[in-house]
Amino acid sequence: MTALMDQWINPHRRVDAASTRKAALSLRPLVHELLGDGAALFQDVLMDKREQHRPFPWHQDFPFWPVDRPHGVIVWVALDPVDESRGGLRLGVDLDAVAGPPIDLHTGAAQPGFERSTVIAPERWVSPELEPGDAIAFSPLSWHSSGRNQSAAPRRIWASSWLAADVRWSHAAAPRHPYLHHLGDGEPVGARGWAPLLAEAGSA
C-alpha cells in the first residue's frame, strides 16, 4: 500500500493524542441514523496521499470485508482541502449496487480466483471538492477510486467503516482478512467484545 498512500490502521485504538476514538464516538450517532439499526465501528484509517503515490484503482470495500452482507457505511472525512487535482475521492454514478470481485489494488484487476468477474470502470463519476472537516458517506458497494495528487501539498483524510447490528462475521467472504483469528464465524458484529468495535458509546 505504500505505493498508493501512507496509512495508519485503526488509530482509534491508540491512547495518545493521535487517537481517533473521540472523533469516532462523536460520529456514531450520525452513522446510527444512516444505518437505522445500530452502528459499530469495524475499522478506521488515516491516509496521506502525496505526489509520489500512484492512482488508487476502482474498487468496492465490501469484497474485502469478512461479513455476510453489505449493511454498512464508509465515512470519508477531509483533513486537508481536497479536489480532483489533489487526488480527491472519485465516486462512480449510475451503477447497480451489486458486489463485484476483490481488486488487486496495485493493478486494478480482479484478484486470483475472480478473473471471470466484472471489474467496473465507471463511465461517469464525480469528485467532490471538500474543505477540512467536510465528509462524504457512501455504501460498501459504491465503486470509488482516486487519482494522483498533482500538488506538492498533502491530501490527508480519515476514513471510518461502520457495520449495522444485524451483520454477522463470515470467514468465507474474505478468507485472507487479518482479523479472522479474532472473529467467531457466524457471530453477530460485536460478539465477544471484539476490541476495534465501538458497539456502545462507552465500550472499550
Side-chain angles (χ1 to χ4, degrees):
M1 294 294 287
T2 56
L4 302 172
M5 67 189 69
D6 297 323
Q7 65 173 348
W8 295 266
I9 302 293
N10 282 340
H12 76 272
R13 301 185 69 184
R14 298 180 65 98
V15 295
D16 57 16
S19 175
T20 55
R21 177 180 172 82
K22 185 176 180 180
L25 287 170
S26 65
L27 184 61
R28 185 175 179 268
L30 175 60
V31 177
H32 177 90
E33 290 185 20
L34 293 174
L35 294 179
D37 188 18
L41 180 64
F42 171 42
Q43 58 193 16
D44 71 330
V45 59
L46 289 165
M47 294 182 275
D48 187 358
K49 190 177 186 70
R50 304 286 177 130
E51 55 187 339
Q52 73 269 19
H53 293 125
R54 297 203 305 256
F56 207 114
W58 289 101
H59 66 286
Q60 299 167 304
D61 285 354
F62 174 63
F64 296 95
W65 292 358
V67 297
D68 68 343
R69 71 197 75 176
H71 192 177
V73 66
I74 298 94
V75 183
W76 202 92
V77 182
L79 303 179
D80 295 304
V82 174
D83 58 23
E84 172 65 11
S85 68
R86 292 177 67 163
L89 179 70
R90 297 170 175 172
L91 289 164
V93 298
D94 299 331
L95 298 172
D96 293 332
V98 177
I103 305 299
D104 183 321
L105 295 178
H106 296 282
T107 68
Q111 290 187 9
F114 295 88
E115 292 88 352
R116 296 185 180 181
S117 301
T118 300
V119 177
I120 298 294
E123 296 182 1
R124 295 184 59 233
W125 47 269
V126 295
S127 182
E129 295 186 8
L130 305 174
E131 293 298 324
D134 289 345
I136 298 174
F138 56 95
S139 163
L141 294 178
S142 297
W143 286 90
H144 58 289
S145 69
S146 63
R148 287 188 180 274
N149 183 349
Q150 302 173 49
S151 74
R155 191 227 65 181
R156 295 170 293 187
I157 68 101
W158 173 53
S160 55
S161 301
W162 300 79
L163 297 169
D166 65 345
V167 172
R168 292 180 178 269
W169 300 121
S170 172
H171 290 194
R176 295 192 295 174
H177 197 284
Y179 294 168
L180 289 191
H181 63 284
H182 291 296
L183 309 177
D185 197 21
E187 289 185 350
V189 166
R192 297 189 296 160
W194 169 231
L197 296 173
L198 294 175
E200 300 297 338
S203 67

